[in-house]
Amino acid sequence: MQISWLLDGWECVIRGLRGGRYFVRPSLVLGLSSLLLTLWLGGAAMAQSGPLVLQRDGRVISLAPYAPNILRVTISTDRAAATSDPGYGFVGKPSATGWTHERDAEGDVFRSARMVVRVSPENPSKDKLPKPMPLDALNSQLRDIYFGGGGGHRQHNDSLVVSTAEGKTLLHMRSWIMSPERPEVAQLDSGKRGYRVAAVFDSRADEHYYGLGQQQKGWMDLRDHQIRCWHDYGAIGGEVVCVPFMVSTRGYGLVWDNPSKTTVDLGFNGQNVWSSEVGDRVSYFVIAGETSDEIYEGYRRLTGVSHMLPRAVYGYIQSKAIYPTQQQILDVAKEYREKKLPLDVVVVDFLNMTRQGEMDLDPRRWPDPAAMNRELHAMDVNTLLSVWPHFSQGTQFYDMLLDKGWLVHTRDGKPDSGGYKDVIGPNIDTTNPEAAKWFWEKIRDRYVNPYGFDYIWLDETEPDVDPAKDVFFIGSGTRFYNVYPLFHTASVYEGFRRDFGDSRRVMILARAAYLGAQRNGTVFWSSDIVSTWDMLKRSIPAGLNFTASGMPYWDTDIAGFFSPSLPADYHAEHKPLIDGSDVRGTIGNYEDYPELFVRWFEWGAFQPVMRAHGERNHNEVWSYGKQAEPILAKYLKLRYQLLPYTYSIAYRSYQTGAPYMRALFMDFPEDPKAANIPDEYMYGPAFLVAPVTEQGATHRPVYLPAGCDWYNYWTNERLHGGQTIVADAPIDTLPLFVKAGSIVPLGSEVQSAQQPQTIASVRVYSGADGKFTLFQDDGNTYQYEKSGGKLTNITWDDAAHQLKHEGAPAWSGTDRSVVTVVTK
């Protein structure tokens, strides 16, 4: 039973009595009054069948459960806004099963088996309200002339506390604000009147925060930082991408339901302040979790799954900016095969067309794309094709798109090219479902069906033309600033699924994201970053926070995209560990670039997707000199050796929503030292990865988290956790450690992830009990969504020194011939 329903009904009765329209016996009125007061004040717990809606002197507070550990909080001065559905990106449905409501002298209590939510009373006593230190009356009167009232700014002291069932406070909202849009924002925000909305939460001194998309400033723990949560290609350090989902070490996740520019101030003056430029309500979700993975399961429930990618995508993707001809693509693939180096995908990058928006391939450079793809497929190599969203004036589709209003445009209807050259043109507005369908059908009919391209690279998905002054089909660019990547990637993903059903998996490469974009078969990359050691160092925490935002698939352009402008007398700070004198035609005077490429490539072997790209003459593993090539080949082969492991932990991400590139806070919540380490992480449950980011370094400190023992992957040396060691790191060695109790399946040597691969060995690292679920399937279809693929559950009993496995057979031969137990 909902209190809002009771109150609305009672108000109708009162209005009827006052208007003389109802004939009700006084005894009935008194009885109804008594019943309502009992329900409202008596404290009896009442089961909920839907949201709890509280009405308070022009304010409406809606509490909508989605699961016993998931609650949506929506607050507004407008009832319709407070009670309407969440915004874009959400697919979960409310469920009030197991929730009850009661009221006592301290306010309303909303409760499930996992969460207790207490909302302060409508008119709390003054001693319960926040207040500054005392100030004398005359001083207050003088100040009030200049600073008091006016401006429409009003802070509402509706306090809300979310606790666990055991009484641990997770989140405490102190107040919220709705104030008129700033004048310059209001001018851009077409449609109904909007507000600037904000909420203020407590920030405990021992609380740490992660996620919120991609920030490339070197931060791991986001505490004591201001996060500008909006897409910004030109941000210092590299592109900012907004995914307004944050995980706290207090045991909760917060999803902020507002797609306009949002600022998040974390930890300043003991508070967290979330504020958005445009909105008509404060709306957010709280997800409680005993583990970080349970929080990600909640995010998955709200915003959708991370589908399995084609198995080929977990191998190696070779790219550069750009391979301009069909012949160059074929030559690169053939050389990988001749050198017996693994490869699965080559990239046909931008500038493949005759004109921007023709959606063609320049026949002078691509005389027979279908034949090219047939030849590549025969080598077990797939293609990733770049398709931009721009349409320049004078191309064959421009007038039609203009007439239909399918181009992103300013308020006066003029297409917005963002100041770029006319040959680039405005973006297609894929927030319009008709335009989105057309865009996919052109990709299908002009690239996929006739030529056989496998995957699509959707670049410029911010969109790169700042939409603040523009109008989308769904509304103003100011109000919906961050959502374009969700719609744009969905246009291709949903088109693929609609036309090909379960027969082929989707892989989309995209430069920006938003809530829910992970369900579109999308890999996100760190954008066009600069090829420097500093950027390598900053990229690691950028990736860790991005995956902590509920987006498991992220990668970098290995060794950066843009070349720095080096002075003529440039020299490395230390003697380069790789001699690049034999590849000056590739590196110019960037003498330590081969070393940077090697270190970045070593790290790339342990990214969710491994992809080399960048503006260089040559960018293949043999391009950086005779000293570099064998090291690069070593890590490329290691990537493929670990495919059974990687593919299995990716399947776990599909099942749970939790990333497999994991910041240390996820797996070691009891170790305070693990809260803010920006350059180490777990790759799945087994591997601790510690990339080398200093030029000339041959050692680096590595913290081994407490609570377990660790093995050096290269030497099998066993080490105790809870200590910092100095790890040897010669140029051919990535510091890599394996957690005791880990089970690591290794595959046979293959040249492509599309080739049959057997389990060559299973390594068991003793010292703790362990378990691992090996996942195998066809690698290409969505059949796993129905059948679950082939699962082999492997367990290790450390006390008995015994390995067991059940389910699908995973290897031929005896266990003794396959299993190696590391005990050193």
Side-chain angles (χ1 to χ4, degrees), residues 595-608:
E595 180 187 346
L596 175 63
F597 192 92
V598 166
R599 289 302 196 192
W600 209 312
F601 196 90
E602 291 171 352
W603 173 42
F606 290 89
Q607 291 177 22

Side-chain angles (χ1 to χ4, degrees), residues 140-154:
S140 295
Q141 291 172 11
L142 293 171
R143 291 165 180 264
D144 192 59
I145 296 171
Y146 295 97
F147 309 116
H153 176 93
R154 186 175 177 188

Side-chain angles (χ1 to χ4, degrees), residues 86-90 257 259 431 474-475 480 483 486-487 514-516 519:
Y88 294 111
F90 297 95
D257 175 23
T431 73
I474 57 173
F480 297 104
V483 299
L486 172 66
F487 284 90
Y514 187 65
L515 298 169
R519 65 178 181 261

Side-chain angles (χ1 to χ4, degrees), residues 72 85-91 244 255-259 281 285 299 302-303 431-433 472-476 479-484 486-487 514-517 519:
R72 180 183 176 215
D85 292 338
Y88 294 111
F90 297 95
V91 295
V255 188
W256 185 255
D257 175 23
N258 188 302
R281 64 191 180 188
F285 291 82
Y299 178 79
L302 291 175
T303 65
T431 73
N432 183 318
F472 294 126
F473 173 80
I474 57 173
S476 74
R479 183 175 291 263
F480 297 104
Y481 194 91
N482 289 315
V483 299
Y484 188 85
L486 172 66
F487 284 90
Y514 187 65
L515 298 169
R519 65 178 181 261

Side-chain angles (χ1 to χ4, degrees), residues 259-381:
S260 72
K261 285 186 175 182
T262 296
T263 302
V264 190
D265 298 326
L266 296 172
F268 296 95
N269 301 312
Q271 294 181 330
N272 295 336
V273 181
W274 295 66
S275 61
S276 294
E277 273 197 347
V278 184
D280 51 11
R281 64 191 180 188
V282 168
S283 177
Y284 59 90
F285 291 82
V286 183
I287 308 168
E290 294 182 0
T291 65
S292 61
D293 282 11
E294 188 178 13
I295 296 171
Y296 291 114
E297 287 175 5
Y299 178 79
R300 178 185 188 271
R301 180 172 185 146
L302 291 175
T303 65
V305 304
S306 296
H307 297 283
M308 292 291 290
L309 302 173
R311 196 170 192 271
V313 175
Y314 299 98
Y316 177 62
I317 302 174
Q318 177 62 60
S319 181
K320 78 163 189 171
I322 59 176
Y323 292 120
T325 69
Q326 173 177 320
Q327 192 58 49
Q328 282 193 25
I329 289 281
L330 288 169
D331 290 344
V332 166
K334 288 175 182 177
E335 190 154 0
Y336 270 92
R337 291 294 175 252
E338 289 170 2
K339 289 178 173 285
K340 298 190 181 305
L341 293 170
L343 173 68
D344 264 282
V345 182
V346 290
V347 178
V348 177
D349 195 3
F350 179 52
L351 302 181
N352 52 56
M353 65 290 173
T354 55
R355 294 179 66 189
Q356 182 63 274
E358 288 290 351
M359 298 191 75
D360 63 356
L361 295 172
D362 187 343
R364 295 170 299 175
R365 296 181 287 120
W366 309 93
D368 195 344
M372 176 193 74
N373 278 317
R374 286 194 298 271
E375 190 171 350
L376 290 169
H377 291 160
M379 292 187 279
D380 292 317
V381 177

Side-chain angles (χ1 to χ4, degrees), residues 21-42:
R21 292 191 298 271
Y22 296 110
F23 298 93
V24 184
R25 291 196 304 271
S27 60
L28 179 58
V29 175
L30 290 174
L32 181 57
S33 175
S34 176
L35 172 62
L36 289 172
L37 288 173
T38 299
L39 294 174
W40 184 242
L41 299 175

Side-chain angles (χ1 to χ4, degrees), residues 93 178 445:
K93 301 299 182 184
M178 282 182 66
D445 296 341

